[in-house]
Amino acid sequence: MRVDKYLKVSRILKRRTISKELAENQRIEINGKTAKPGHEVHAGDLVTISFGNRKLTVRVLSTEEVKKKADAQDMYEVVSEETIMKPEES
């Protein structure tokens, strides 16, 4: 499954257009490498998303086309989540 679609189907991000835009701006990595919107994700991959002041890393558990919200959380596990603080401007 494409990474932009995966992020939408798993409900990590609300809209596929947002995930596509993040990938186009090099804000999504798969296994430590910058990913384009069409990059395929597979079970076991680590996906890191940088958006706003957050950096979220998840492990892909499943790439099935899930339709129910309750099942979407079973598609991944959160590995790490951090808040990125911007240095104060003087």
Side-chain angles (χ1 to χ4, degrees), residues 11-58:
R11 290 179 169 79
I12 294 171
L13 296 173
K14 290 184 180 183
R15 294 192 181 102
R16 187 169 175 178
T17 54
I18 293 171
S19 59
K20 182 178 178 183
E21 186 177 304
L22 287 173
E24 288 172 347
N25 290 311
Q26 301 179 346
R27 311 272 315 252
I28 297 177
E29 295 179 357
I30 298 175
N31 298 324
K33 296 181 181 179
T34 303
K36 294 185 178 183
H39 192 100
E40 293 289 317
V41 292
H42 306 283
D45 286 347
L46 288 177
V47 179
T48 302
I49 309 114
S50 300
F51 51 103
N53 62 347
R54 290 180 48 200
K55 188 172 187 177
L56 176 68
T57 302
V58 298

Side-chain angles (χ1 to χ4, degrees), residues 51 54-58 78-84:
F51 51 103
R54 290 180 48 200
K55 188 172 187 177
L56 176 68
T57 302
V58 298
V78 176
V79 175
S80 70
E81 185 173 3
E82 58 186 274
T83 302
I84 303 167

